[in-house]
C-alpha cells in the first residue's frame, strides 16, 4: 500500500557542491525537497523506493548500498543509497541526486531501494509497475525524481517551445491535487519533445496511488534555467 510520495526535480545543480557559486539560486527548491522527504519519513513507511529516469542501459533495480558519483560534474563527491553492501553498478544521475537528498536529510525511517525507468518507457508499463508495487505487502513510500520540460526559455537546454509552460502547468496541477488520472494521461511523445524526463516516474506514481486517498500538496513550481522544477508531497 502506498502511504506517501514525494516528487522532486533532480538536476545535479541541486547539490551545492556542484552549483558552487550559484548554489543560492536553488535554495528554495532544495528546501522544498527536504520538506517533501520529511513528509515521507512522517508516514512511517516500511520501505522507500526511489524512482528516476535513466538511459535504457541504466534502467532496472538498484539495491541499498548502490553508489553514485558527482565526479562527472566536476565534484569529488560520492553518495550511497541507504545502508547495504556496495555494488559495482553505479546509480544514474537522477537516483544519485535522490541518494544525496536522503544522505543530507539523514534518512533512517525505512529500508531503501531504487528503480530506474527508461525515459521512453511506455505509459502502460509505468502504470502497471506502480499498481504492482502498491499491491505488495507493507507500507510503501515513493521518492520520484524527475524534471519537467526543458524548453521554458530561449536559453533552456531544449530551446524555447510554447507548449512547455502549459505542459508543466498541467503536471503541477495534477501533483497539487493528487490527480492520478491526469498524470496517467500525459502524452509520452509530447513529454519527450519537451525533454520532460519526469514523465515515466510520474506515471508510475499514478499507478501506485490509483484508488487511494492521498492528498497532494505542491511545494515548489519554478523554471530556473528554463527547466520546470516541481516539488510535491502526497500523504
Amino acid at each position: 500500500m502506498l502511504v506517501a510520495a514525494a516528487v522532486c526535480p533532480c538536476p545535479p545543480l541541486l547539490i551545492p557542491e556542484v552549483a558552487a557559486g550559484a548554489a543560492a539560486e536553488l535554495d528554495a527548491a532544495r528546501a522544498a525537497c527536504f520538506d517533501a522527504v520529511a513528509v515521507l519519513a512522517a508516514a512511517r513507511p516500511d520501505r522507500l523506493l526511489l524512482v528516476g529516469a535513466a538511459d535504457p542501459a541504466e534502467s532496472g533495480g538498484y539495491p541499498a548500498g548502490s553508489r553514485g558519483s558527482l565526479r562527472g560534474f566536476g565534484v569529488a563527491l560520492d553518495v550511497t543509497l541507504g545502508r547495504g553492501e556496495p555494488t559495482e553498478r553505479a546509480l544514474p544521475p537522477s537516483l544519485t541526486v535522490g541518494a544525496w537528498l536522503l544522505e543530507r536529510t539523514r534518512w533512517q525511517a525505512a529500508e531503501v531501494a531504487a528503480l530506474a525507468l527508461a525515459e521512453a518507457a511506455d505509459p502502460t508499463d509505468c502504470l502497471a509497475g506502480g499498481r504492482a508495487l502498491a499491491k505488495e505487502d507493507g507500507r510503501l513510500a515513493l521518492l520520484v525524481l524527475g524534471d519537467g520540460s526543458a524548453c521554458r526559455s530561449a536559453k533552456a537546454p531544449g530551446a524555447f517551445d510554447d507548449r512547455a509552460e502549459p505542459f508543466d502547468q498541467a503536471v503541477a496541477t495534477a501533483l497539487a491535487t493528487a490527480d492520478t488520472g491526469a498524470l496517467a494521461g500525459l502524452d509520452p511523445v509530447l513529454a519527450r519533445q519537451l525533454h520532460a524526463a519526469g514523465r515515466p516516474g510520474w506515471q508510475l506514481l499514478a499507478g501506485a496511488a490509483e484508488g487511494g486517498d492521498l492528498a497532494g500538496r505542491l511545494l515548489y513550481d519554478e523554471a530556473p534555467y528554463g527547466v520546470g522544477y516541481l516539488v510535491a508531497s502526497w500523504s
Side-chain angles (χ1 to χ4, degrees), residues 71-234:
R71 295 174 187 271
F73 299 95
V75 176
L77 177 64
D78 301 309
V79 297
T80 302
L81 178 67
R83 290 174 291 182
E85 293 297 321
T87 63
E88 293 185 4
R89 193 180 186 210
L91 295 168
S94 63
L95 297 178
T96 296
V97 173
W100 176 84
L101 284 172
L102 296 186
E103 282 193 354
R104 185 58 66 94
T105 55
R106 299 181 181 179
W107 177 269
Q108 295 181 344
E111 60 185 58
V112 181
L115 175 65
L117 301 173
E119 291 187 15
D122 186 270
T124 301
D125 294 337
C126 296
L127 292 165
R131 293 178 188 123
L133 286 169
K135 290 180 180 178
E136 295 178 2
D137 292 337
R139 296 167 60 82
L140 169 68
L142 293 176
L143 173 52
V144 180
L145 299 140
D147 301 343
S149 70
C151 302
R152 295 280 293 273
S153 72
K155 294 184 179 181
F160 177 73
D161 190 314
D162 60 9
R163 300 172 297 173
E165 186 171 358
F167 177 90
D168 288 341
Q169 287 179 341
V171 175
T173 299
L175 293 176
T177 57
D179 187 340
T180 59
L183 293 178
L186 291 174
D187 182 352
V189 175
L190 177 59
R192 184 168 63 252
Q193 292 171 344
L194 298 176
H195 307 281
R199 191 273 307 170
W202 300 333
Q203 291 185 319
L204 183 141
L205 168 60
E210 202 172 67
D213 60 353
L214 299 183
R217 188 160 69 101
L218 191 65
L219 305 178
Y220 183 85
D221 176 11
E222 299 290 344
Y225 320 121
V227 181
Y229 293 157
L230 300 164
V231 181
S233 65
W234 291 15

